Structure formats: structure tokens, C-alpha cells
mmCIF file of all heavy atoms in Angstrom:
data_model
loop_
_atom_site.group_PDB
_atom_site.id
_atom_site.type_symbol
_atom_site.label_atom_id
_atom_site.label_comp_id
_atom_site.label_asym_id
_atom_site.label_seq_id
_atom_site.Cartn_x
_atom_site.Cartn_y
_atom_site.Cartn_z
ATOM 1 N N PHE A 1259 -84.900 33.817 -77.978
ATOM 2 C CA PHE A 1259 -83.701 33.635 -78.791
ATOM 3 C C PHE A 1259 -83.265 34.969 -79.392
ATOM 4 O O PHE A 1259 -82.076 35.301 -79.421
ATOM 5 C CB PHE A 1259 -83.961 32.634 -79.925
ATOM 6 C CG PHE A 1259 -84.107 31.207 -79.481
ATOM 7 C CD1 PHE A 1259 -85.148 30.429 -79.961
ATOM 8 C CD2 PHE A 1259 -83.210 30.628 -78.603
ATOM 9 C CE1 PHE A 1259 -85.283 29.104 -79.572
ATOM 10 C CE2 PHE A 1259 -83.330 29.306 -78.205
ATOM 11 C CZ PHE A 1259 -84.374 28.540 -78.693
ATOM 12 N N ALA A 1260 -84.231 35.741 -79.883
ATOM 13 C CA ALA A 1260 -83.906 37.033 -80.486
ATOM 14 C C ALA A 1260 -83.318 37.986 -79.459
ATOM 15 O O ALA A 1260 -82.332 38.691 -79.731
ATOM 16 C CB ALA A 1260 -85.162 37.653 -81.111
ATOM 17 N N VAL A 1261 -83.899 38.020 -78.260
ATOM 18 C CA VAL A 1261 -83.388 38.887 -77.198
ATOM 19 C C VAL A 1261 -81.986 38.440 -76.784
ATOM 20 O O VAL A 1261 -81.073 39.264 -76.606
ATOM 21 C CB VAL A 1261 -84.352 38.901 -76.008
ATOM 22 C CG1 VAL A 1261 -83.744 39.621 -74.813
ATOM 23 C CG2 VAL A 1261 -85.671 39.573 -76.404
ATOM 24 N N HIS A 1262 -81.799 37.137 -76.623
ATOM 25 C CA HIS A 1262 -80.472 36.606 -76.278
ATOM 26 C C HIS A 1262 -79.430 37.040 -77.300
ATOM 27 O O HIS A 1262 -78.349 37.530 -76.945
ATOM 28 C CB HIS A 1262 -80.545 35.080 -76.213
ATOM 29 C CG HIS A 1262 -79.215 34.391 -76.208
ATOM 30 N ND1 HIS A 1262 -78.548 34.047 -77.372
ATOM 31 C CD2 HIS A 1262 -78.406 33.989 -75.190
ATOM 32 C CE1 HIS A 1262 -77.402 33.477 -77.073
ATOM 33 N NE2 HIS A 1262 -77.287 33.418 -75.760
ATOM 34 N N ASP A 1263 -79.734 36.868 -78.570
ATOM 35 C CA ASP A 1263 -78.767 37.190 -79.614
ATOM 36 C C ASP A 1263 -78.465 38.684 -79.640
ATOM 37 O O ASP A 1263 -77.311 39.096 -79.841
ATOM 38 C CB ASP A 1263 -79.293 36.745 -80.972
ATOM 39 C CG ASP A 1263 -79.350 35.225 -81.110
ATOM 40 O OD1 ASP A 1263 -78.901 34.526 -80.179
ATOM 41 O OD2 ASP A 1263 -79.849 34.750 -82.141
ATOM 42 N N ALA A 1264 -79.492 39.517 -79.447
ATOM 43 C CA ALA A 1264 -79.293 40.967 -79.459
ATOM 44 C C ALA A 1264 -78.428 41.417 -78.280
ATOM 45 O O ALA A 1264 -77.581 42.308 -78.412
ATOM 46 C CB ALA A 1264 -80.637 41.686 -79.430
ATOM 47 N N ILE A 1265 -78.608 40.795 -77.121
ATOM 48 C CA ILE A 1265 -77.763 41.102 -75.962
ATOM 49 C C ILE A 1265 -76.324 40.697 -76.242
ATOM 50 O O ILE A 1265 -75.377 41.451 -75.980
ATOM 51 C CB ILE A 1265 -78.300 40.399 -74.697
ATOM 52 C CG1 ILE A 1265 -79.626 41.021 -74.262
ATOM 53 C CG2 ILE A 1265 -77.280 40.488 -73.556
ATOM 54 C CD1 ILE A 1265 -80.354 40.228 -73.178
ATOM 55 N N GLU A 1266 -76.137 39.494 -76.794
ATOM 56 C CA GLU A 1266 -74.790 39.000 -77.087
ATOM 57 C C GLU A 1266 -74.049 39.925 -78.046
ATOM 58 O O GLU A 1266 -72.836 40.105 -77.930
ATOM 59 C CB GLU A 1266 -74.876 37.593 -77.679
ATOM 60 C CG GLU A 1266 -75.204 36.504 -76.686
ATOM 61 C CD GLU A 1266 -74.068 36.242 -75.728
ATOM 62 O OE1 GLU A 1266 -72.974 35.862 -76.185
ATOM 63 O OE2 GLU A 1266 -74.260 36.457 -74.513
ATOM 64 N N LYS A 1267 -74.783 40.516 -78.981
ATOM 65 C CA LYS A 1267 -74.167 41.398 -79.969
ATOM 66 C C LYS A 1267 -74.064 42.840 -79.491
ATOM 67 O O LYS A 1267 -73.575 43.695 -80.241
ATOM 68 C CB LYS A 1267 -74.959 41.323 -81.272
ATOM 69 C CG LYS A 1267 -74.883 39.956 -81.934
ATOM 70 C CD LYS A 1267 -75.838 39.852 -83.114
ATOM 71 C CE LYS A 1267 -75.790 38.449 -83.717
ATOM 72 N NZ LYS A 1267 -76.786 38.286 -84.807
ATOM 73 N N GLY A 1268 -74.505 43.129 -78.260
ATOM 74 C CA GLY A 1268 -74.413 44.471 -77.714
ATOM 75 C C GLY A 1268 -75.439 45.436 -78.256
ATOM 76 O O GLY A 1268 -75.293 46.653 -78.120
ATOM 77 N N ARG A 1269 -76.510 44.917 -78.838
ATOM 78 C CA ARG A 1269 -77.509 45.789 -79.446
ATOM 79 C C ARG A 1269 -78.555 46.274 -78.440
ATOM 80 O O ARG A 1269 -79.171 47.316 -78.641
ATOM 81 C CB ARG A 1269 -78.204 45.060 -80.599
ATOM 82 C CG ARG A 1269 -77.271 44.813 -81.786
ATOM 83 C CD ARG A 1269 -77.915 43.924 -82.829
ATOM 84 N NE ARG A 1269 -77.059 43.813 -84.013
ATOM 85 C CZ ARG A 1269 -77.225 42.901 -84.957
ATOM 86 N NH1 ARG A 1269 -78.198 42.027 -84.862
ATOM 87 N NH2 ARG A 1269 -76.410 42.865 -85.988
ATOM 88 N N ILE A 1270 -78.780 45.500 -77.404
ATOM 89 C CA ILE A 1270 -79.717 45.896 -76.352
ATOM 90 C C ILE A 1270 -79.111 45.555 -75.002
ATOM 91 O O ILE A 1270 -78.151 44.787 -74.900
ATOM 92 C CB ILE A 1270 -81.094 45.212 -76.497
ATOM 93 C CG1 ILE A 1270 -80.976 43.691 -76.323
ATOM 94 C CG2 ILE A 1270 -81.744 45.569 -77.830
ATOM 95 C CD1 ILE A 1270 -82.304 42.969 -76.277
ATOM 96 N N MET A 1271 -79.685 46.108 -73.945
ATOM 97 C CA MET A 1271 -79.203 45.867 -72.588
ATOM 98 C C MET A 1271 -79.952 44.690 -71.971
ATOM 99 O O MET A 1271 -81.176 44.578 -72.088
ATOM 100 C CB MET A 1271 -79.402 47.117 -71.733
ATOM 101 C CG MET A 1271 -78.573 48.299 -72.171
ATOM 102 S SD MET A 1271 -78.868 49.752 -71.126
ATOM 103 C CE MET A 1271 -78.243 49.134 -69.562
ATOM 104 N N GLY A 1272 -79.196 43.839 -71.313
ATOM 105 C CA GLY A 1272 -79.797 42.706 -70.630
ATOM 106 C C GLY A 1272 -78.715 41.822 -70.042
ATOM 107 O O GLY A 1272 -77.529 41.981 -70.351
ATOM 108 N N PRO A 1273 -79.097 40.890 -69.197
ATOM 109 C CA PRO A 1273 -78.110 39.974 -68.606
ATOM 110 C C PRO A 1273 -77.574 38.995 -69.640
ATOM 111 O O PRO A 1273 -78.219 38.739 -70.666
ATOM 112 C CB PRO A 1273 -78.922 39.246 -67.524
ATOM 113 C CG PRO A 1273 -80.334 39.354 -67.971
ATOM 114 C CD PRO A 1273 -80.462 40.628 -68.743
ATOM 115 N N ARG A 1274 -76.391 38.444 -69.381
ATOM 116 C CA ARG A 1274 -75.936 37.327 -70.211
ATOM 117 C C ARG A 1274 -76.883 36.163 -69.910
ATOM 118 O O ARG A 1274 -77.357 36.004 -68.793
ATOM 119 C CB ARG A 1274 -74.472 36.991 -69.961
ATOM 120 C CG ARG A 1274 -74.115 36.462 -68.611
ATOM 121 C CD ARG A 1274 -72.606 36.225 -68.485
ATOM 122 N NE ARG A 1274 -71.910 37.511 -68.339
ATOM 123 C CZ ARG A 1274 -71.177 38.061 -69.310
ATOM 124 N NH1 ARG A 1274 -71.029 37.461 -70.463
ATOM 125 N NH2 ARG A 1274 -70.583 39.220 -69.107
ATOM 126 N N MET A 1275 -77.155 35.350 -70.913
ATOM 127 C CA MET A 1275 -78.244 34.391 -70.797
ATOM 128 C C MET A 1275 -77.906 33.028 -71.364
ATOM 129 O O MET A 1275 -77.151 32.910 -72.328
ATOM 130 C CB MET A 1275 -79.482 34.912 -71.556
ATOM 131 C CG MET A 1275 -80.115 36.149 -70.996
ATOM 132 S SD MET A 1275 -81.365 36.832 -72.130
ATOM 133 C CE MET A 1275 -82.464 35.430 -72.320
ATOM 134 N N GLN A 1276 -78.490 32.004 -70.754
ATOM 135 C CA GLN A 1276 -78.737 30.734 -71.408
ATOM 136 C C GLN A 1276 -80.242 30.636 -71.648
ATOM 137 O O GLN A 1276 -81.029 31.161 -70.859
ATOM 138 C CB GLN A 1276 -78.266 29.552 -70.554
ATOM 139 C CG GLN A 1276 -76.766 29.425 -70.452
ATOM 140 C CD GLN A 1276 -76.338 28.235 -69.609
ATOM 141 O OE1 GLN A 1276 -77.155 27.485 -69.083
ATOM 142 N NE2 GLN A 1276 -75.023 28.069 -69.466
ATOM 143 N N VAL A 1277 -80.628 29.983 -72.732
ATOM 144 C CA VAL A 1277 -82.043 29.879 -73.072
ATOM 145 C C VAL A 1277 -82.398 28.426 -73.376
ATOM 146 O O VAL A 1277 -81.656 27.726 -74.067
ATOM 147 C CB VAL A 1277 -82.401 30.779 -74.265
ATOM 148 C CG1 VAL A 1277 -82.363 32.237 -73.869
ATOM 149 C CG2 VAL A 1277 -81.462 30.554 -75.453
ATOM 150 N N ALA A 1278 -83.542 27.990 -72.846
ATOM 151 C CA ALA A 1278 -83.950 26.595 -73.003
ATOM 152 C C ALA A 1278 -84.829 26.373 -74.224
ATOM 153 O O ALA A 1278 -85.008 25.229 -74.652
ATOM 154 C CB ALA A 1278 -84.694 26.124 -71.750
ATOM 155 N N GLY A 1279 -85.391 27.424 -74.795
ATOM 156 C CA GLY A 1279 -86.338 27.208 -75.876
ATOM 157 C C GLY A 1279 -87.601 26.550 -75.358
ATOM 158 O O GLY A 1279 -88.036 26.780 -74.227
ATOM 159 N N GLU A 1280 -88.204 25.699 -76.177
ATOM 160 C CA GLU A 1280 -89.397 24.980 -75.749
ATOM 161 C C GLU A 1280 -89.015 23.893 -74.736
ATOM 162 O O GLU A 1280 -87.965 23.262 -74.843
ATOM 163 C CB GLU A 1280 -90.095 24.337 -76.948
ATOM 164 C CG GLU A 1280 -90.794 25.338 -77.852
ATOM 165 C CD GLU A 1280 -92.060 25.900 -77.229
ATOM 166 O OE1 GLU A 1280 -92.698 25.203 -76.417
ATOM 167 O OE2 GLU A 1280 -92.405 27.047 -77.560
ATOM 168 N N VAL A 1281 -89.891 23.678 -73.767
ATOM 169 C CA VAL A 1281 -89.666 22.643 -72.753
ATOM 170 C C VAL A 1281 -89.948 21.277 -73.367
ATOM 171 O O VAL A 1281 -90.977 21.076 -74.021
ATOM 172 C CB VAL A 1281 -90.572 22.893 -71.536
ATOM 173 C CG1 VAL A 1281 -90.412 21.776 -70.510
ATOM 174 C CG2 VAL A 1281 -90.258 24.240 -70.900
ATOM 175 N N ILE A 1282 -89.032 20.332 -73.166
ATOM 176 C CA ILE A 1282 -89.214 18.971 -73.666
ATOM 177 C C ILE A 1282 -90.341 18.311 -72.881
ATOM 178 O O ILE A 1282 -90.328 18.294 -71.645
ATOM 179 C CB ILE A 1282 -87.920 18.144 -73.530
ATOM 180 C CG1 ILE A 1282 -86.729 18.855 -74.189
ATOM 181 C CG2 ILE A 1282 -88.117 16.740 -74.114
ATOM 182 C CD1 ILE A 1282 -86.821 19.004 -75.671
ATOM 183 N N ARG A 1283 -91.307 17.737 -73.593
ATOM 184 C CA ARG A 1283 -92.473 17.149 -72.937
ATOM 185 C C ARG A 1283 -93.049 16.055 -73.834
ATOM 186 O O ARG A 1283 -92.821 16.059 -75.050
ATOM 187 C CB ARG A 1283 -93.527 18.218 -72.672
ATOM 188 C CG ARG A 1283 -94.017 18.914 -73.922
ATOM 189 C CD ARG A 1283 -94.854 20.144 -73.599
ATOM 190 N NE ARG A 1283 -95.426 20.727 -74.802
ATOM 191 C CZ ARG A 1283 -94.805 21.594 -75.596
ATOM 192 N NH1 ARG A 1283 -93.571 21.977 -75.314
ATOM 193 N NH2 ARG A 1283 -95.406 22.079 -76.671
ATOM 194 N N PRO A 1284 -93.853 15.122 -73.283
ATOM 195 C CA PRO A 1284 -94.472 14.089 -74.111
ATOM 196 C C PRO A 1284 -95.777 14.581 -74.726
ATOM 197 O O PRO A 1284 -96.294 15.646 -74.363
ATOM 198 C CB PRO A 1284 -94.740 12.967 -73.112
ATOM 199 C CG PRO A 1284 -95.002 13.691 -71.827
ATOM 200 C CD PRO A 1284 -94.108 14.903 -71.846
ATOM 201 N N VAL A 1285 -96.308 13.809 -75.642
ATOM 202 C CA VAL A 1285 -97.631 14.112 -76.190
ATOM 203 C C VAL A 1285 -98.642 14.159 -75.040
ATOM 204 O O VAL A 1285 -98.634 13.313 -74.147
ATOM 205 C CB VAL A 1285 -98.049 13.044 -77.216
ATOM 206 C CG1 VAL A 1285 -99.519 13.198 -77.595
ATOM 207 C CG2 VAL A 1285 -97.163 13.141 -78.453
ATOM 208 N N GLY A 1286 -99.492 15.197 -75.045
ATOM 209 C CA GLY A 1286 -100.456 15.352 -73.959
ATOM 210 C C GLY A 1286 -99.825 15.841 -72.678
ATOM 211 O O GLY A 1286 -100.416 15.724 -71.604
ATOM 212 N N GLY A 1287 -98.635 16.436 -72.773
ATOM 213 C CA GLY A 1287 -97.915 16.844 -71.571
ATOM 214 C C GLY A 1287 -98.271 18.223 -71.091
ATOM 215 O O GLY A 1287 -99.433 18.511 -70.794
ATOM 216 N N GLU A 1288 -97.280 19.120 -71.085
ATOM 217 C CA GLU A 1288 -97.391 20.391 -70.377
ATOM 218 C C GLU A 1288 -98.608 21.215 -70.771
ATOM 219 O O GLU A 1288 -99.225 21.849 -69.928
ATOM 220 C CB GLU A 1288 -96.127 21.220 -70.625
ATOM 221 C CG GLU A 1288 -96.120 22.535 -69.868
ATOM 222 C CD GLU A 1288 -94.992 23.437 -70.332
ATOM 223 O OE1 GLU A 1288 -94.413 23.171 -71.399
ATOM 224 O OE2 GLU A 1288 -94.706 24.400 -69.630
ATOM 225 N N LEU A 1289 -98.985 21.218 -72.031
ATOM 226 C CA LEU A 1289 -100.058 22.106 -72.482
ATOM 227 C C LEU A 1289 -101.443 21.482 -72.421
ATOM 228 O O LEU A 1289 -102.415 22.116 -72.807
ATOM 229 C CB LEU A 1289 -99.787 22.553 -73.927
ATOM 230 C CG LEU A 1289 -98.495 23.307 -74.181
ATOM 231 C CD1 LEU A 1289 -98.422 23.733 -75.637
ATOM 232 C CD2 LEU A 1289 -98.381 24.522 -73.282
ATOM 233 N N ARG A 1290 -101.573 20.260 -71.917
ATOM 234 C CA ARG A 1290 -102.834 19.567 -72.067
ATOM 235 C C ARG A 1290 -103.998 20.251 -71.352
ATOM 236 O O ARG A 1290 -105.146 20.098 -71.753
ATOM 237 C CB ARG A 1290 -102.713 18.117 -71.591
ATOM 238 C CG ARG A 1290 -102.590 17.932 -70.076
ATOM 239 C CD ARG A 1290 -102.249 16.476 -69.747
ATOM 240 N NE ARG A 1290 -102.325 16.209 -68.324
ATOM 241 C CZ ARG A 1290 -101.421 16.577 -67.434
ATOM 242 N NH1 ARG A 1290 -100.349 17.254 -67.838
ATOM 243 N NH2 ARG A 1290 -101.543 16.299 -66.161
ATOM 244 N N SER A 1291 -103.723 20.996 -70.284
ATOM 245 C CA SER A 1291 -104.803 21.642 -69.550
ATOM 246 C C SER A 1291 -105.100 23.043 -70.072
ATOM 247 O O SER A 1291 -106.038 23.677 -69.611
ATOM 248 C CB SER A 1291 -104.459 21.722 -68.057
ATOM 249 O OG SER A 1291 -103.312 22.518 -67.857
ATOM 250 N N TRP A 1292 -104.311 23.544 -71.039
ATOM 251 C CA TRP A 1292 -104.498 24.901 -71.546
ATOM 252 C C TRP A 1292 -105.096 24.927 -72.959
ATOM 253 O O TRP A 1292 -105.802 25.851 -73.325
ATOM 254 C CB TRP A 1292 -103.169 25.658 -71.559
ATOM 255 C CG TRP A 1292 -102.632 25.933 -70.204
ATOM 256 C CD1 TRP A 1292 -103.331 26.381 -69.122
ATOM 257 C CD2 TRP A 1292 -101.290 25.770 -69.766
ATOM 258 N NE1 TRP A 1292 -102.509 26.500 -68.040
ATOM 259 C CE2 TRP A 1292 -101.237 26.135 -68.406
ATOM 260 C CE3 TRP A 1292 -100.118 25.357 -70.388
ATOM 261 C CZ2 TRP A 1292 -100.074 26.110 -67.666
ATOM 262 C CZ3 TRP A 1292 -98.952 25.323 -69.645
ATOM 263 C CH2 TRP A 1292 -98.938 25.693 -68.301
ATOM 264 N N LEU A 1293 -104.780 23.926 -73.763
ATOM 265 C CA LEU A 1293 -105.196 23.935 -75.160
ATOM 266 C C LEU A 1293 -105.866 22.616 -75.527
ATOM 267 O O LEU A 1293 -105.565 21.565 -74.965
ATOM 268 C CB LEU A 1293 -103.984 24.154 -76.070
ATOM 269 C CG LEU A 1293 -103.236 25.473 -75.904
ATOM 270 C CD1 LEU A 1293 -101.959 25.448 -76.729
ATOM 271 C CD2 LEU A 1293 -104.101 26.655 -76.299
ATOM 272 N N ARG A 1294 -106.790 22.674 -76.467
ATOM 273 C CA ARG A 1294 -107.418 21.462 -76.955
ATOM 274 C C ARG A 1294 -106.386 20.570 -77.629
ATOM 275 O O ARG A 1294 -105.436 21.056 -78.254
ATOM 276 C CB ARG A 1294 -108.527 21.841 -77.938
ATOM 277 C CG ARG A 1294 -109.718 22.474 -77.267
ATOM 278 C CD ARG A 1294 -110.633 23.168 -78.255
ATOM 279 N NE ARG A 1294 -111.008 22.293 -79.372
ATOM 280 C CZ ARG A 1294 -111.792 22.687 -80.371
ATOM 281 N NH1 ARG A 1294 -112.243 23.942 -80.386
ATOM 282 N NH2 ARG A 1294 -112.099 21.851 -81.338
ATOM 283 N N PRO A 1295 -106.539 19.229 -77.529
ATOM 284 C CA PRO A 1295 -105.524 18.321 -78.063
ATOM 285 C C PRO A 1295 -105.205 18.545 -79.534
ATOM 286 O O PRO A 1295 -104.059 18.369 -79.954
ATOM 287 C CB PRO A 1295 -106.150 16.936 -77.831
ATOM 288 C CG PRO A 1295 -107.087 17.131 -76.694
ATOM 289 C CD PRO A 1295 -107.628 18.522 -76.830
ATOM 290 N N GLU A 1296 -106.213 18.928 -80.347
ATOM 291 C CA GLU A 1296 -105.942 19.112 -81.767
ATOM 292 C C GLU A 1296 -105.160 20.392 -82.046
ATOM 293 O O GLU A 1296 -104.612 20.581 -83.143
ATOM 294 C CB GLU A 1296 -107.249 19.106 -82.580
ATOM 295 C CG GLU A 1296 -108.216 20.221 -82.232
ATOM 296 C CD GLU A 1296 -109.227 19.823 -81.159
ATOM 297 O OE1 GLU A 1296 -108.866 19.013 -80.271
ATOM 298 O OE2 GLU A 1296 -110.358 20.331 -81.208
ATOM 299 N N ILE A 1297 -105.089 21.322 -81.065
ATOM 300 C CA ILE A 1297 -104.355 22.565 -81.238
ATOM 301 C C ILE A 1297 -102.902 22.415 -80.803
ATOM 302 O O ILE A 1297 -102.004 23.023 -81.379
ATOM 303 C CB ILE A 1297 -105.030 23.708 -80.442
ATOM 304 C CG1 ILE A 1297 -106.428 23.982 -80.999
ATOM 305 C CG2 ILE A 1297 -104.190 24.979 -80.466
ATOM 306 C CD1 ILE A 1297 -107.208 25.005 -80.212
ATOM 307 N N GLU A 1298 -102.651 21.574 -79.808
ATOM 308 C CA GLU A 1298 -101.313 21.465 -79.224
ATOM 309 C C GLU A 1298 -100.213 21.231 -80.256
ATOM 310 O O GLU A 1298 -99.146 21.863 -80.184
ATOM 311 C CB GLU A 1298 -101.264 20.367 -78.165
ATOM 312 C CG GLU A 1298 -99.900 20.211 -77.527
ATOM 313 C CD GLU A 1298 -99.838 19.089 -76.507
ATOM 314 O OE1 GLU A 1298 -100.888 18.670 -76.002
ATOM 315 O OE2 GLU A 1298 -98.717 18.634 -76.225
ATOM 316 N N PRO A 1299 -100.406 20.363 -81.268
ATOM 317 C CA PRO A 1299 -99.309 20.133 -82.223
ATOM 318 C C PRO A 1299 -98.879 21.361 -83.006
ATOM 319 O O PRO A 1299 -97.801 21.358 -83.607
ATOM 320 C CB PRO A 1299 -99.893 19.059 -83.153
ATOM 321 C CG PRO A 1299 -100.920 18.354 -82.343
ATOM 322 C CD PRO A 1299 -101.527 19.425 -81.487
ATOM 323 N N LEU A 1300 -99.708 22.410 -83.009
ATOM 324 C CA LEU A 1300 -99.323 23.632 -83.709
ATOM 325 C C LEU A 1300 -98.228 24.395 -82.973
ATOM 326 O O LEU A 1300 -97.594 25.282 -83.548
ATOM 327 C CB LEU A 1300 -100.546 24.545 -83.879
ATOM 328 C CG LEU A 1300 -101.722 23.968 -84.687
ATOM 329 C CD1 LEU A 1300 -102.888 24.946 -84.660
ATOM 330 C CD2 LEU A 1300 -101.295 23.675 -86.122
ATOM 331 N N PHE A 1301 -98.010 24.082 -81.694
ATOM 332 C CA PHE A 1301 -97.098 24.865 -80.868
ATOM 333 C C PHE A 1301 -95.795 24.103 -80.652
ATOM 334 O O PHE A 1301 -95.631 23.324 -79.726
ATOM 335 C CB PHE A 1301 -97.755 25.230 -79.532
ATOM 336 C CG PHE A 1301 -98.910 26.172 -79.707
ATOM 337 C CD1 PHE A 1301 -100.194 25.691 -79.862
ATOM 338 C CD2 PHE A 1301 -98.706 27.543 -79.771
ATOM 339 C CE1 PHE A 1301 -101.251 26.563 -80.052
ATOM 340 C CE2 PHE A 1301 -99.756 28.409 -79.967
ATOM 341 C CZ PHE A 1301 -101.032 27.924 -80.116
#
């Protein structure tokens, strides 16, 4: 988001962008194989 905004304002060089942010997923979804279940809600 910060990089997108800086590009839009002409402060840094980069392509024009759309940004998705965090990927929409269910509980126990995308991160379940990378992080312990009690850690996932922190992200």
C-alpha cells in the first residue's frame, strides 16, 4: 500500500498498480501449513 501510494504521488518510480492487500481466506486457510493455529490470528 505504501509503495502504491508513493508511486501514485510521483515520489518513487514504479508501475501503476492495483493492490489486493491480504488474500481473503477462511479460518485455517492459506496460512495453515506455515504457522501454528494460535499464531495465525495475529496476521
